[in-house]
Amino acid sequence: MNKNYPIPENELQRLAALKRYNILDTLPDDAFDDATRLVSYICGVPIAHISFIDEDRQWFKSEIGIGVSEVPREITFCNYTILDTEIVEINDTHINERFKDDPNVTGGFNVRFYAGVPLTTPDGYNIGTICAIDHVVKELNDNQRNALSIIAKHVIAQLELGTKNNQLYTQRKIAERAVFARDSFLANMSHEIRTPLNAIIGFTDLLAQTDLNDTQRDYIGSVQIAGENLLLIVNDILDLSKIESGNLTIETESFNLKKTLRHVYSLLKVKVQKEVEFNLFLDAELPDMVIGDQGRLNQILVNLIGNALKFTNEGEVTVSVKKIEETEDSYSFKFSIKDTGIGIPKDKLETIFERFTQGEESTTRTFGGTGLGLNIVKQLVELQKGEVHVKSTLNRGSEFFFTLSYKKSNTEEIIVKTVSKNDLGSLKILLCEDNVLNQKLAKSVINNFGFDLDIAQNGEEGIELLSQKEYDLILMDLQMPVKDGYQTTEYIRNEMNSNIPIIAMTAHSLVGEQERCYKVGMNAYVPKPFKQTVLLKAIKTVMSPDADTYHKRIIDMSFLDEMSGGDPEFKKEMINLFVEKIPNQAKQLEEAFKKTDYDSAKKLAHNMKSSMDIFMLQDLSNCLSIIEEEASSGEFTAETLDKVNIFGCGIEEVVKILKEL
């Protein structure tokens, strides 16, 4: 290199070390400015700076008394400081042979005193300097020199921290993308698996209703069990994905606890082997009605009791439920499932709740199962702020027990008539569905109900048929070619101005999809594979003139309550701020997406996330994370559109609920 200033021997490695920090030309930073002020104060000088030296310039990250952001490298004193390993101190530049004729000594910055410490990376490269400069002759004492060295180390530590944070941020983003990719994969896979599964289970149910001999009925029973088991596995995988991505919500509705427990007992009694006694003991003080998530309690109990029955060949399986605490507004219960089965080895007890883990390596082959059940049980119990434990002795049996708290309910149970027969008369129904198997299945089921059915292959065909004939109801698949279920519903509601009841039917399991269905104007939602009674109930619900089919989201206020410290005014102010600001920002986000304004979308998504977290709206916060990530990468995809739509629907619903509060 032909340069008129000294070049360190390791210049290429030194420059690579400097570039690794991405510090050049960055914005001012308080941590560096504070360090510069400290140097000026400790050394009692009017000029101080923290600078970095690249190929041809000295760039000031922070400075006092200089007034420029960079100077050419050849006119800097620091060129010599980076050649050294310790402090370079020039008490009087006028008598220093190297610098006495320097333009910044005879004029310029009028440097008379200079002290510089090299900024040395952990791997030994001098990438810059920290300096104290004065217009008069000066000499530092040992304390001042030590302080300069300490501040130099602090600056390097700050750079290292920034690098580590950037690496962590990048890794976190990669991890978030991986989780999102996995969730999308699982949701799509569930759709692909459930579509044929829907047909298998549906046609098997229809076949079971025909005249069969004993052998055929036995075969059909085996197919039904296999279909139900396959559906359980698919649901297990989806539940795990929803729990991990924070998208599984715990419902809070009144339900009959005793009836739920007896229902689970009756359901599983058919699985009991002849040599096993199956008991249910309920505490006499157990209340009838409580407020909580009945479905998730069912899931936990079916899983734990099902395991106990599966692994017990003789002896007994006992389920007992006891009230252990009662406060003014809640109950706490202990649920115990005890068996005399194969037991769990002592060394496996600690890992039994981990995913894909089973008590014995051979249990998968001997007894079947995904190894996900206990992991899901643990997470479902903990999501409801409970605890689950296990005690076991090999070849003697096991006891799984968990505690859950439920709020007290003032409502008495409303006896709901079971939907067993069609009392709606003759209905004319339009099905929009592109899958031939599902068309055939739906036709059989609907005809069994005594209704007439027309089939459209896609949304366009559906609109065409609707404009030609009168229908009482539409069954709408969401994923179709040409026009999907959402676009078709929007057209029916907005262009055709029709209020015809529409039931969404889909095998897709993306979180937020139900909210989107209600938002575009659908009246109910039936997931595939559908049970005939569930579909008939949905049809009866939407055909009822006073049916309230709107499903309310539950907002968890626990974090806001904690923040407010019991101050209702603060809580009210926070709710008002959310209601005033967030809907407007959600609209701005939608506009930014439409205009492909990545910068605005990124900022809006990032800013709104903290508001979602305050109100524990984890699913909406996750939507924003994905939008922010897509905006950062400078590319919006179909997934971004999906998340923008789901977020908009979710905010509309949340604001409606908050206003009611």
Side-chain angles (χ1 to χ4, degrees), residues 101-281:
D101 298 321
D102 189 284
N104 274 320
V105 172
T106 56
F109 291 114
N110 291 314
V111 178
R112 190 72 186 266
F113 166 80
Y114 170 91
V117 177
L119 296 173
T120 309
T121 65
D123 45 359
Y125 298 110
N126 293 343
I127 57 171
T129 59
I130 185 163
C131 297
I133 296 166
D134 209 337
H135 307 302
V136 296
V137 176
K138 189 181 286 286
E139 184 175 354
L140 299 181
N141 59 38
D142 287 343
N143 288 338
Q144 290 170 316
R145 291 188 192 99
N146 283 339
L148 269 182
S149 297
I150 290 166
I151 295 169
K153 285 173 187 167
H154 164 76
V155 168
I156 288 293
Q158 197 68 25
L159 290 175
E160 284 288 314
L161 183 64
T163 303
K164 293 276 189 305
N165 285 343
N166 285 336
Q167 288 169 351
L168 285 171
Y169 178 77
T170 304
Q171 287 165 0
R172 182 168 67 84
K173 286 296 175 188
I174 291 168
E176 283 175 358
R177 293 283 288 183
V179 168
F180 171 63
R182 184 205 60 195
D183 287 349
S184 294
F185 170 76
L186 287 174
N188 288 321
M189 279 302 295
S190 81
H191 178 266
E192 297 306 320
I193 294 168
R194 283 182 188 209
T195 299
L197 191 56
N198 177 45
I200 293 166
I201 291 172
F203 282 120
T204 309
D205 284 348
L206 287 172
L207 195 54
Q209 292 167 24
T210 62
D211 291 330
L212 303 167
N213 63 38
D214 290 344
T215 306
Q216 290 170 329
R217 194 162 293 286
D218 184 45
Y219 289 162
I220 286 294
S222 298
V223 174
Q224 283 177 314
I225 290 166
E228 294 293 343
N229 285 344
L230 183 53
L231 188 58
L232 279 173
I233 291 167
V234 172
N235 288 339
D236 270 0
I237 292 166
L238 281 170
D239 272 349
L240 194 68
S241 167
K242 285 181 185 176
I243 290 167
E244 289 196 338
S245 57
N247 289 326
L248 190 138
T249 52
I250 298 298
E251 302 293 333
T252 50
E253 292 178 357
S254 282
F255 71 94
N256 189 313
L257 180 61
K258 287 181 185 173
K259 190 177 276 189
T260 300
L261 295 165
R262 291 191 185 111
H263 170 72
V264 171
Y265 175 73
S266 303
L267 187 73
L268 295 173
K269 205 169 184 180
V270 295
K271 293 187 176 184
V272 181
Q273 299 176 51
K274 284 179 184 175
E275 299 80 11
V276 177
E277 190 182 331
F278 184 31
N279 302 306
L280 173 66
F281 296 127

Side-chain angles (χ1 to χ4, degrees), residues 10 56 68 164 178 213 312 339 341 430 454 477 536 578 614:
N10 61 5
D56 48 23
V68 294
K164 293 276 189 305
N213 63 38
T312 306
D339 66 62
L430 172 63
D454 282 350
D477 184 44
L536 185 54
F578 188 100
I614 289 170

